[in-house]
Amino acid sequence: MANDGQSGRESTRREYLQYGGAVIAGGLLAGCTGGSGSETTTTASEPETTTAATTEAATETETETTTEAAESYSVSIEPVGEVTFDSVPEAWIANNGSWADMGVALGLDTPMGVWLPGRYHTQYYDEIPDVSVDKSSIRQLWGDSGVGKEQFYELNADVHIADPNFLLNRGQWSEADIEEISTQVGPFFGNSIFSRGYAWHEDYRYYTLYEAFEKFAQVFQREDRFEAFEQVHEEFQSNLAPVVPAQGERPSAAVVWAGGDEPEEFYPYVIDEGTSFKHLNDLKVNDALATTEVRDFYSNRGAVDFETLLEVDPEVLLVRGQEAKTREEFQNTVVSFMENHEVAGELTAVQNGDVYRAGALYQGPITNLVVTDRLARTLYDADERLFDAQRVADIANGNL
């Protein structure tokens, strides 16, 4: 999108109405509203899902400027459907660090806002030469009452990389709010990929990390960098395969969330196919909680204590919510506390020194490489880095 100031941005949004305004009106909760969700289409006409008003407006636009219309392109993702862009977005919002990290991988400007910047762990980029992110300019969009709608007008983004169903179910929005921001500010484009535990997501498809990453690259027209990054990922998987032990030799791990330095309460997670567990699935870690009576946090938002963990007694304890700490800080606080705790000290994982940071909840292509590589060294004693950090930097910086 050309950086032509506010008037250009408003013009683009009027063009979005002409081509894609029926996306929300078509029924968001029902799933994908247009297209197969698997292709990018460059087109001079409106998508199949239109209203009489949008068809008329599109016809007028084609009559007035066929050159501009010929440059438009469409990308589909569930549950939003097909979204048509008349130029490449520049200013954007991401709902979490998964999508923000995709932006870094493609060399985009930092998103103007994310739900919770504190859970976007930019220290992972310390592992990548010549790549860094300054979070000071990223606005926190999530507050005590959910995600405030008015701030979307203030930020005035070209596109909102977020699953609108998340806002409907967790952000206290209405369908009218979604339609208003989509038409008055900019379209939504996203899917809640990090977890498979939300009941409201059961009637439309999930995407793997790289399926979502490809969609994201199509929106920003940087498919060449996606393809280069995909190759890095494939090479990483090839390097990882011989490091992962056979089934009987892999540890059984419990994944829990606990904040602070001296946690006494934990939110349990059952490993699923969501992107927040990609590193554990790639490492083929056995889930210590999967066959127990402990319920996944997403099912009832419940917590467990050390007594419950002792009943499970996992070989390895992986603690989320601790990524802001270095390895040494984690050992000197959380692990030290457990070692001196009357009940926690009886856990096999504590006694054997197998309590580790679990990795980020929101993983993108770069952060996933870093945390998977880290755990491969921790759990399986990999003796060298398994991905090419310089190649990652080159792609992010456009040196393909």
Side-chain angles (χ1 to χ4, degrees):
M1 183 169 294
N3 189 12
D4 54 358
Q6 182 68 21
S7 62
R9 295 268 296 282
E10 292 302 326
S11 174
T12 296
R13 293 190 175 100
R14 287 194 295 272
E15 290 158 0
Y16 167 73
L17 285 175
Q18 292 164 359
Y19 286 92
V23 168
I24 301 300
L28 193 63
L29 291 174
C32 186
T33 59
S36 64
S38 62
E39 297 181 358
T40 302
T41 305
T42 301
T43 177
S45 61
E46 69 279 9
E48 291 181 5
T49 307
T50 58
T51 63
T54 54
T55 303
E56 179 181 353
T59 303
E60 292 175 359
T61 301
E62 290 173 357
T63 302
E64 293 170 3
T65 171
T66 56
T67 300
E68 180 178 347
E71 296 174 352
S72 68
Y73 60 96
S74 299
V75 190
S76 295
I77 192 168
E78 296 187 26
V80 179
E82 187 174 81
V83 179
T84 297
F85 300 90
D86 291 277
S87 54
V88 180
E90 288 186 353
W92 62 294
I93 284 172
N95 74 320
N96 61 44
S98 299
W99 302 97
D101 184 66
M102 294 180 198
V104 176
L106 298 182
L108 300 178
D109 289 340
T110 304
M112 294 188 295
V114 300
W115 285 189
L116 294 168
R119 295 184 184 178
Y120 175 32
H121 300 291
T122 56
Q123 71 272 17
Y124 295 133
Y125 304 125
D126 294 343
E127 303 293 325
I128 312 299
D130 302 316
V131 173
S132 62
V133 171
D134 180 5
K135 287 202 302 184
S136 63
S137 64
I138 302 177
R139 180 168 177 170
Q140 177 169 323
L141 302 178
W142 191 278
D144 293 338
S145 58
V147 180
K149 183 176 66 175
E150 290 305 315
Q151 58 194 332
F152 284 73
Y153 284 100
E154 296 171 21
L155 293 173
N156 198 29
D158 299 319
V159 64
H160 308 107
I161 304 297
D163 187 334
N165 279 346
F166 188 90
L167 286 170
L168 290 173
N169 289 276
R170 298 281 294 140
Q172 302 184 34
W173 282 37
S174 66
E175 290 191 58
D177 293 329
I178 298 293
E179 182 175 3
E180 176 186 338
I181 295 302
S182 298
T183 55
Q184 298 300 318
V185 183
F188 285 90
F189 187 94
N191 182 294
S192 290
I193 59 174
F194 70 93
S195 169
R196 301 288 175 97
Y198 290 120
W200 46 262
H201 203 313
E202 292 176 354
D203 63 347
Y204 62 100
R205 68 167 289 185
Y206 286 93
Y207 294 85
T208 67
L209 177 58
Y210 275 79
E211 287 172 343
F213 187 22
E214 183 175 23
K215 296 287 186 182
F216 182 87
Q218 290 167 356
V219 168
F220 290 94
Q221 296 288 277
R222 299 205 175 188
E223 293 96 326
D224 54 346
R225 298 197 200 197
F226 165 76
E227 291 169 0
F229 217 101
E230 190 175 37
Q231 184 176 2
V232 169
H233 178 252
E234 290 172 356
E235 293 171 355
F236 174 66
Q237 294 295 313
S238 296
N239 294 336
L240 181 63
V243 172
V244 176
Q247 169 64 30
E249 301 173 8
R250 296 195 296 270
S252 177
V255 182
V256 296
W257 181 289
D261 296 341
E262 299 181 352
E264 298 257 12
E265 188 175 66
F266 305 87
Y267 299 118
Y269 289 85
V270 174
I271 298 173
D272 62 27
E273 295 301 316
T275 59
S276 71
F277 298 109
K278 175 172 165 50
H279 61 315
L280 301 181
N281 285 316
D282 289 348
L283 292 165
K284 299 182 180 180
V285 172
N286 296 316
D287 188 353
L289 298 178
T291 58
T292 71
E293 295 182 359
V294 175
R295 298 185 65 186
D296 182 76
F297 169 69
Y298 289 113
S299 67
N300 66 352
R301 321 298 285 186
V304 298
D305 55 17
F306 281 125
E307 284 76 10
T308 302
L309 286 177
L310 186 58
E311 292 177 10
V312 178
D313 199 20
E315 296 175 82
V316 174
L317 186 61
L318 298 175
V319 186
R320 283 177 161 172
Q322 299 290 332
E323 290 304 302
K325 293 183 175 70
T326 65
R327 178 182 179 277
E328 290 72 23
E329 290 169 342
F330 180 72
Q331 289 290 326
N332 293 335
T333 55
V334 176
V335 175
S336 177
F337 170 70
M338 290 184 180
E339 289 172 340
N340 293 289
H341 190 280
E342 181 179 1
V343 179
E346 298 181 21
L347 288 166
T348 298
V350 174
Q351 293 178 346
N352 292 341
D354 287 322
V355 180
Y356 310 109
R357 293 166 296 161
L361 180 66
Y362 304 122
Q363 296 181 33
I366 296 178
T367 55
N368 172 256
L369 289 175
V370 173
V371 298
T372 309
D373 184 80
R374 185 182 81 190
L375 269 181
R377 298 167 190 244
T378 300
L379 296 178
Y380 303 146
D381 297 323
D383 55 9
E384 61 182 3
R385 173 166 281 163
L386 301 175
F387 69 95
D388 187 342
Q390 183 59 57
R391 179 57 179 154
V392 170
D394 290 342
I395 296 169
N397 289 311
N399 302 318
L400 302 183

